[in-house]
Amino acid sequence: MQAYQNLINNSKKLTKSKVKKDLFNFIRQLEGGLAVINTDTIFKKSEDTQGDPIGFYSRATQEITGGRKKEGDPFDLRESGTFLDSLYAKVQNDSILFDTTDSKKNKVLKNLLSQDIFGLQDDDLNDLLEQKLAPFMVIYYTQELLK
């Protein structure tokens, strides 16, 4: 009976604001990983957050690069200075801001088919929920209720 009473008392301590604060702090720990996921989407998949292509190299690029970048190959933004290396995610009050500190950001974005490149694709978000968030919540509630 005592264990049951402890469970009830601990559940009363789990207010909406406490859970929100603890969840916010956990998500803030994921900021660096979120930026890596976004960078990989751009570099490896050459896609925006909706899964659409961000652009393709032209014949002129093929000639300038001596054929290293072929006409029709998807953009990977690797050679756009510090664009990908300076991409970041910042957890704010009710959102996560994705951006880059590259001073040439507007010039880079102007040459893309999509401006919607900062953020996570649905598949990445679902993976994040399954691999990070759901296990955190299970452990969190277990610890909070059974302490």
Side-chain angles (χ1 to χ4, degrees):
M1 189 65 166
Q2 182 62 32
Y4 179 71
Q5 190 59 46
N6 284 343
L7 194 62
I8 291 173
N9 291 339
N10 288 341
S11 69
K12 290 178 182 177
K13 295 176 191 174
L14 278 176
T15 63
K16 181 180 177 180
S17 61
K18 179 182 177 6
V19 172
K20 181 179 177 181
K21 177 182 165 271
D22 293 342
L23 184 56
F24 179 85
N25 290 335
F26 175 73
I27 293 172
R28 174 153 276 160
Q29 294 173 16
L30 301 177
E31 282 177 338
L34 298 174
V36 168
I37 293 169
N38 191 194
T39 300
D40 284 350
T41 298
I42 295 168
F43 178 64
K44 293 179 181 173
K45 295 181 180 178
S46 300
E47 294 177 348
D48 68 7
T49 59
Q50 304 303 313
D52 296 323
I54 60 172
F56 301 95
Y57 290 110
S58 67
R59 180 141 189 83
T61 302
Q62 179 175 322
E63 291 180 20
I64 291 169
T65 64
R68 190 171 41 82
K69 300 280 185 178
K70 304 270 188 241
E71 179 182 8
D73 283 353
F75 285 167
D76 60 17
L77 299 185
R78 183 51 64 196
E79 295 181 27
S80 58
T82 62
F83 190 88
L84 288 178
D85 293 335
S86 62
L87 199 143
Y88 66 91
K90 176 80 174 142
V91 177
Q92 299 176 326
N93 291 331
D94 293 329
S95 63
I96 302 173
L97 169 70
F98 290 84
D99 206 346
T100 183
T101 58
D102 190 335
S103 61
K104 295 180 285 185
K105 174 177 93 170
N106 291 334
K107 183 179 177 184
V108 171
L109 291 175
K110 188 173 87 174
N111 292 308
L112 300 180
L113 295 174
S114 172
Q115 304 292 299
D116 194 17
I117 65 168
F118 298 114
L120 301 181
Q121 293 182 337
D122 286 349
D123 288 347
D124 295 327
L125 185 54
N126 283 323
D127 288 346
L128 183 70
L129 290 171
E130 186 174 321
Q131 296 172 13
K132 300 285 187 188
L133 200 53
F136 167 78
M137 295 305 293
V138 169
I139 292 168
Y140 175 80
Y141 281 112
T142 301
Q143 289 174 345
E144 290 295 317
L145 291 173
L146 300 178
K147 63 180 173 179

